[in-house]
Amino acid sequence: GVVPLNSARSIKTNDELALIRQACAVADVALSKVRDAVKPGVTENELFSILTAVNIRYGGERIDAKLLSAGGNTNPWLQRDASDRIVRPGDLVAMDTDMAGPLGYMADVSRTYLCGDSKPNEEQMESYKLAYDYLQKCIPLFTVGTSFQEIARKAPVVPDIYKANRYDCIAHGVGMSDEWPSIAFTDFSLSGFGNYPGELQENMVLSTEASFGREGGREQVKLEEQ
């Protein structure tokens, strides 16, 4: 019974799509405010509080996790939540909104910004370029009728030095939380069963993930598009 229910939930009504677009608009404002506040001396918690405050101000419900970190806290991703760590000049600041907006519908996008006026170093530049290019190559794969297995096969190969710290899926459904489907890499699946034999249908909403930090490296670039 679980799979049919999840499958039905993955197809959004027009009202749900309107609420999701509204949530994403709130997230755009929140991320813009955070970007403007990224300055040497600010803490991760102060930046995260901006995400929360903007969401609440515009009628949002909650943020599901404190996924905002800076500098060495970014790599590996998902290991450290926002804390009282001070952001230093030259640090990357990465964030994942996980934002339940008005009436509980999600905006799940990620951005990474550079603190200060210095130029990014070589590690930062390479990670950002790889993450950005990865998303730009994945997004065109998301068309009606494309199977989850085909997306996994056609997704760009993550270089070996970045593979250990990549995100745990290529993409996942979005609605009132992270939802079905979850599209796994061809060489890894949290379930152990690979990709479900389904395909993209009209009015599905998904977020595609890019998380690039070298194994043993200092920082991670986290980007995600819904």
Side-chain angles (χ1 to χ4, degrees):
V2 175
V3 170
L5 286 173
N6 287 344
S7 179
R9 184 175 171 181
S10 71
I11 309 298
K12 305 301 187 284
T13 67
N14 288 334
D15 287 342
E16 287 180 303
L17 292 173
L19 287 168
I20 289 170
R21 291 189 178 100
Q22 183 180 34
C24 288
V26 173
D28 281 345
V29 174
L31 289 166
S32 176
K33 298 288 188 184
V34 173
R35 181 192 61 206
D36 292 345
V38 173
K39 293 179 174 63
V42 72
T43 68
E44 294 171 345
N45 278 336
E46 287 175 303
L47 295 173
F48 180 76
S49 73
I50 295 170
L51 277 179
T52 302
V54 172
N55 188 37
I56 299 301
R57 184 181 306 136
Y58 291 108
E61 289 193 356
R62 67 185 190 280
I63 293 180
D64 281 349
K66 292 179 67 179
L67 296 179
L68 187 152
S69 55
N73 277 0
T74 60
N75 194 31
W77 186 246
L78 297 176
Q79 297 301 305
R80 300 178 183 91
D81 289 342
S83 69
D84 60 0
R85 179 189 178 104
I86 291 173
V87 181
R88 298 177 298 177
D91 277 350
L92 292 181
V93 181
M95 63 210 69
D96 186 339
T97 59
D98 272 345
M99 180 182 288
L103 297 182
Y105 281 85
M106 296 290 291
D108 192 12
V109 297
S110 298
R111 297 290 184 266
T112 300
Y113 303 125
L114 178 66
C115 178
D117 298 325
S118 62
K119 291 184 177 181
N121 62 39
E122 182 270 338
E123 179 183 352
Q124 293 169 337
M125 279 292 292
E126 181 178 82
S127 295
Y128 200 99
K129 184 178 188 306
L130 285 168
Y132 181 83
D133 288 348
Y134 181 88
L135 283 186
Q136 299 312 306
K137 291 174 181 175
C138 279
I139 289 170
L141 302 176
F142 291 85
T143 57
V144 172
T146 304
S147 71
F148 307 143
Q149 295 98 327
E150 184 179 352
I151 291 171
R153 288 195 304 270
K154 291 184 175 179
V157 175
V158 176
D160 287 344
I161 196 171
Y162 290 92
K163 191 170 286 187
N165 292 333
R166 69 187 176 183
Y167 205 74
D168 58 23
C169 68
I170 297 169
H172 60 82
V174 184
M176 298 191 84
S177 62
D178 284 7
E179 295 182 359
W180 187 90
S182 178
I183 300 178
F185 291 97
T186 55
D187 62 342
F188 175 76
S189 169
L190 287 173
S191 69
F193 294 102
N195 280 300
Y196 184 83
E199 62 184 32
L200 296 180
Q201 299 179 55
E202 188 173 2
N203 290 350
M204 278 185 174
V205 178
L206 297 97
S207 286
T208 183
E209 305 265 10
S211 194
F212 280 78
R214 297 175 185 175
E215 186 173 5
R218 179 172 184 269
E219 293 177 292
Q220 179 104 192
V221 169
K222 177 69 167 63
L223 301 176
E224 178 184 13
E225 292 291 342
Q226 183 166 323

